[in-house]
Amino acid sequence: KHKFWETQPVGQFKDLGDSSLPEGPIEQPTPLSEVKQEPYNLPTPYEWITCDMDSGEMCNEVYALLSNNYVEDVDSMFRFNYSKEFLYWALHPPGYYRSWHIGVRVKNSKKLVAFITGVPAKIRVRDTVFVMAEINFLCVHKKLRSKRLTPVMIKEVTRRVQLENIWQAAYTAGVVRPTPIATCQYWHRSLNPKKLIDVGFSRISGRMRKNRTIKLYKLPDQTVTPGFRKMEPHDVPAVSRLLKNYLKKLIFAPDFDEDDVEHWLLPKENVVDSYLVESPETHEITDFCSFYTLPSSILGNQNHSALKAAYSFYNVSTKTPLIRLMNDALIVAKKNDFDVFNALDVMHNETFLKELKFVPGDGELHYYLYNYHLKQALRPSELGLVLL
Ligand code: NHW
Ligand code: EN5
């Protein structure tokens, strides 16, 4: 059934019940000289390229491939439309490797037809921190699907990761493959109910219902928590401490240092937004919330072409109740013209989703590890990692 994945060091479906398998790496690292030194062979019309995302032209080509061929919902009504600025940010965290930004193009025409990326990250599983690759943006042009290009791309990114002496990877997908370490649910909080109904994001409709829906999702114009403000560069140390303290309670979480926090969480317009609560009395930073900007193209609607979505990223509450903190996040998202606020049921998100009128969506997100076996799948609330 999975001719490729059966050959890979990942948890296999047949082993799901087997408690005799030890938890930890499936294969041991080999000497780097034993890692294949040449790229895998592609079918003859194609060639590998390492994408230089500092080149505006290359960035445009990647953007074009993804905006036309990347992830859609099950009914093909929406397609993720990561912006160029977002892609640049996502692919250049501290310590990134250019060699992990991999393209496939047609030799003759030079057209970019496939893409896969990795970025390095320190990720803790229970008590052990591993340097891993986070794999994302796997995409094959619609016209080249089902030709088994994907296994070659996965093997090539694996080879380039291993050449850096890194032997584990984390990735997420909307589809089930061997085998999820956790399965999460997407939840959605409507900020612009009229538009969501008009574009079919929200199934409910009818004029009477529409007015009632609009009222149901109303939010105040101003945030309510005293000391709630945008994160600034001088907040990086305090936010790092807050986040470190919070994430250490979770089983699977990134191990962020200050450089990571600066990269991933310092606000970047139209890419990532972070807010915190600074106590008006003590000036202590007590709470933090963040979301990233990921619009979707609306496929085949007369009136609207883009859906502006915010995705919950990392949130930490120590003084402000999480419900109130996230309500303020909704208020700033609404003010900034987002149509919908999305969140997974990871970390402590379950504790605010229903209360703040999020509803479960029709999509799930499965988390995976490459070359690491877990005895049991984790609960979403045990996950502290959010991938873009
Ligand atoms: S998930 C988003 C993936 N991208 C999309 O869904 C975009 C739209 N779809 C496409 O572009 C986030 C194509 O349909 C793709 C498949 C390219 C998805 N994960 O080429 P074939 C990520 O980027 C397996 C894992 O004929 P295709 C995470 C499939 O099971 N495997 O398919 C990416 C089958 O193998 P099997 C996937 O439809 C993580 C084989 O590919 C997969 O033309 C990658 C078929 O290939 C998926 N999402 O193209 C793994 N989709 O054994 C990283 C398909 O079942 C692993 N497949 O026969 C770690 C590597 C680093 C290790 C370092 C130590
Ligand atoms: C790797 N980093 O399916 C990511 N989204 O629920 C790749 N549904 O938006 C993996 N079908 O339910 C990504 N509205 C996997 C997810 C792919 C995208 C996806 C789902 C997640 C989604 C929406 C739209 C459905 C359109 C029809 C949905 C219904 C709820 C609605 C919310 C607002 C208030 C009223 C009700």
Side-chain angles (χ1 to χ4, degrees), residues 70-78 80 82 136 172-174 185-190 196 200-204 217 311 340 342 359-365 387-388:
Y70 199 51
V71 177
E72 300 176 1
D73 69 299
V74 277
D75 303 306
S76 293
M77 297 171 71
F78 306 96
F80 284 154
Y82 290 89
N136 206 348
T172 58
Q185 176 70 55
Y186 276 104
W187 291 67
H188 309 280
R189 204 304 183 171
S190 176
L196 294 190
F201 190 91
S202 172
R203 290 167 296 265
I204 8 170
Y217 290 121
Y311 285 76
V340 63
N342 300 335
V359 295
D362 61 0
E364 285 183 332
L365 188 67
L387 296 182
L388 305 170

Side-chain angles (χ1 to χ4, degrees), residues 1-5 69-71 135-140 144-151 154 157-158 161 166-169 171-173 175 177 370:
K1 228 194 132 238
H2 291 291
K3 271 287 162 256
F4 169 65
W5 281 113
N69 301 278
Y70 199 51
V71 177
I135 306 298
N136 206 348
F137 305 115
L138 164 62
C139 185
V140 169
L144 299 178
R145 298 276 169 90
S146 307
K147 295 178 183 296
R148 310 293 301 179
L149 264 183
T150 303
I154 293 173
V157 73
T158 301
V161 168
I166 293 170
W167 303 87
Q168 268 74 35
Y171 50 103
T172 58
V175 294
R177 291 293 180 271
Y370 184 94

Side-chain angles (χ1 to χ4, degrees), residues 188-191 217-220 223 228 289 291 310 323-338 340-343 352-353 355-358:
H188 309 280
R189 204 304 183 171
S190 176
L191 302 174
Y217 290 121
K218 250 196 156 17
L219 285 164
T223 58
F228 186 91
C289 61
F291 53 86
I323 293 186
R324 190 151 55 112
L325 185 69
M326 294 310 294
N327 196 242
D328 279 342
L330 293 176
I331 292 168
V332 295
K334 167 80 203 173
K335 248 194 131 133
N336 286 292
D337 217 36
F338 285 92
V340 63
F341 194 104
N342 300 335
F352 67 75
L353 291 170
E355 182 98 4
L356 294 179
K357 302 181 180 127
F358 284 75

